[in-house]
Amino acid sequence: FYGDSRRRVFTTLPEGFEEPGYCALMIKTMHGTEDAANIWQDTWSEHLVKAGFKIGVASSALFTRHNGEIRGLCHGDDFAVVAARADLLEFEAHLKTAFDIRRTGHLGFAYDCDTEIDVLKRVLRVDRSISGGA
């Protein structure tokens, strides 16, 4: 939630830096401030639009690229993306150009993919014992 602040917000100085008569002017929004979620939404969506993504009309939390070959959503600061591995790695690299990110996993059927990950406090699993035949 660290987009550029659009209004003057003052806060106390961080612990250990307090000084009587002084306060801090926030340059970036912080989680918990009134407009942090909206500014973060604008920040990440503008970044994706520059990379050719389209933001959803019915829900601005959804995005897509390459005629739906990459589909995803952002909930708070969590991204969940469905795409081929190469596209996932490209998406991750693109996010890294602007944000500090941490990948929690790649869910899939390949031997080096995770078989279980947590997404938005929900467990998603792949059962590799099920045949993917036609």
Side-chain angles (χ1 to χ4, degrees):
F1 291 133
Y2 299 113
D4 294 332
S5 187
R6 296 183 188 149
R7 61 189 178 99
R8 293 172 61 89
V9 177
F10 294 92
T11 186
T12 57
L13 291 168
E15 190 175 324
F17 293 92
E18 305 96 333
E19 199 167 323
Y22 287 88
C23 62
L25 172 64
M26 292 176 54
I27 304 299
K28 299 279 188 180
T29 58
M30 251 175 54
H31 181 74
T33 57
E34 185 176 303
D35 49 1
N38 288 335
I39 290 173
W40 172 240
Q41 164 79 38
D42 293 345
T43 301
W44 70 258
S45 60
E46 287 170 12
H47 184 70
L48 291 186
V49 166
K50 287 178 186 175
F53 285 85
K54 293 181 182 172
I55 305 302
V57 175
S59 172
S60 58
L62 303 174
F63 53 88
T64 185
R65 194 171 90 173
H66 298 309
N67 295 322
E69 290 180 19
I70 301 175
R71 294 174 305 227
L73 70 89
C74 179
H75 181 272
D77 61 353
D78 294 325
F79 287 88
V81 180
V82 176
R85 182 188 304 256
D87 291 329
L88 285 174
L89 295 174
E90 177 189 342
F91 179 80
E92 180 179 335
H94 183 69
L95 283 183
K96 283 182 177 180
T97 65
F99 311 111
D100 292 329
I101 67 167
R102 176 179 53 96
R103 179 186 346 136
T104 57
H106 279 167
L107 184 67
F109 289 95
Y111 72 93
D112 59 344
C113 286
D114 300 308
T115 57
E116 179 177 300
I117 60 173
D118 291 332
V119 176
L120 303 175
K121 299 188 180 179
R122 300 286 189 252
V123 176
L124 301 179
R125 287 187 190 97
V126 168
D127 184 351
R128 290 189 181 151
S129 68
I130 299 173
S131 173

